[in-house]
Amino acid sequence: MSDTEKPTRGVLLKARNGDVIGFDETGLRMRLSDEVMADISRRVSVADSAAPVDPSVLGDIHAWDVRRAGDWYLFSAHLPGEQGICQFRKRVEPLGDTAPDILANPSGSLFAILSIGGTRRATTSDEVLRYPYHIVTTGDDLGPAGASGTEIVVATPDLQCLSEQSRDSLIADEVIARRHSDFRALPVIYARSETDNSASISDFGVGRALENFTLTVANLCAAANSLGVSPKVLGVGLDFTLEALDQDGAVWRSGIYDIMARVTDIFADNGLRKPLFVSTFDAGTRGVSDNPILRAQWEMAWNKAGHDHVFSAPGYMFAQDEFGRPTAEARQQIAEMDAFAIEALNADQDWSCPVLLLAEREDDPKLIRCRGQALGAFVLDPDDLLNAGPECGFRIEGCENGAKITGVMVDRGDPNDLLISFDIAPEGDGLTLCYALGHPASPDHMPANRGAMRDEWHATSRTGRILHRWALPAALPVH
């Protein structure tokens, strides 16, 4: 067929409801769905067609340069909080029964800090956020802790500011504060925790927390779409340890790995990148210092099972109340340590607490070498800030001849090795070297388990306390 005989119009792709792609003298023609056309119209409207509006539509606030862009009012304002004068937005019409909240205008993406866990993760408090318009949650009136799993999450793109604070919102506040102090762009962070009262890892895997978490991820993506930005999850808190009554640590650990895999699948289903999981290494309470699940966490410190997971800190460094929950100051410190880990790993930097890996006898039968790894040299805290005592938090388990620890020191030849000396050579078939595990009940506000080993990193908390990366608890068979 000659060029003059080639067809000048036709159809390249058909669908049941009509032609999709065709061509004519001008080139290719594409028929888009009503939904796609509406989305394009909304995005163009938001970007290019913001019309001036009388500031009185916002109420009695110090705002100016009000414009309407699609479903939103965009404006500058001076509002409570440390953010100063910023760009804000508010929905023109409410999506639910309550008036729409004022939100900070997102920078780049709608970021998120999510979590899934047991009853302790559902704890909320009345701290005042430094950046109240930059931290939001699902607009369903269930709050940042999702009503502790007592309600089923419903689909909504709506967003609300917070009237109470969860661990996730405190982490978000800390992340924003650090960016503000560095004169960086201030993100809007979506904070939400989904929990339930499961009493075993098997129940947790089929419980309401995971069901609601699935819906929350979809709501996050819908909210980002309504803002005309992409969603980006900075971290997913994973917090289900002593709530579980399981007595098989391996079963618990396998169940946690399964939860991580399912969360990863949920992210993939919503077009999100692989999640970063963040946990505190649970070191027990003032009265509970040993448990199969406490010990099972150790393997997760070095065996990630293909997941991106980090222990931001060991729980023995944080004060607790009589119910085993962190005090108000400790909640702030935990959020700060979580934020340090989240910021570092999202910036492709390293973050890990020192972890002990192997205990083996030296030629001297009164000496045990404990090998580990860390981002710097091991440090035995000279001030013993956590009152670990001369044993630095170590004890020998399964010893049948009463051998006692007489000294702990960092090996001069290897800064990630410890040498632990005894008065006599310890004997026993099941010798196990324990660090920050199995200590007597604590008479004060700190957990029973203690330790004195850390690396060289430190930072000053808002509470005034110096924070360190203390070593994670461990129970190592002696070889």
Side-chain angles (χ1 to χ4, degrees), residues 118-119 196-205 207 240-247 252 293:
T119 53
D196 62 32
N197 61 355
S198 295
S200 70
I201 191 63
S202 58
D203 289 345
F204 188 57
F240 187 76
T241 50
L242 290 183
E243 290 89 348
L245 300 180
D246 308 77
Q247 290 300 307
W252 173 86
I293 290 174

Side-chain angles (χ1 to χ4, degrees), residues 328-403:
E329 284 198 349
R331 281 168 51 80
Q332 175 62 35
Q333 294 160 6
I334 292 171
E336 290 171 355
M337 293 299 288
D338 283 350
F340 280 121
I342 288 170
E343 287 186 293
L345 294 168
N346 274 280
D348 293 324
Q349 299 170 2
D350 291 328
W351 180 277
S352 64
C353 295
V355 58
L356 302 173
L357 300 173
L358 178 68
E360 53 189 2
R361 293 180 183 271
E362 291 285 272
D363 292 338
D364 181 348
K366 294 191 291 182
L367 201 61
I368 290 178
R369 177 177 294 272
C370 187
R371 301 186 183 275
Q373 65 182 23
L375 295 180
F378 284 168
V379 175
L380 294 172
D381 189 70
D383 298 319
D384 194 15
L385 293 174
L386 301 181
N387 297 319
E391 297 85 6
C392 298
F394 287 92
R395 67 181 185 88
I396 192 74
E397 186 177 79
C399 183
E400 298 172 355
N401 65 342

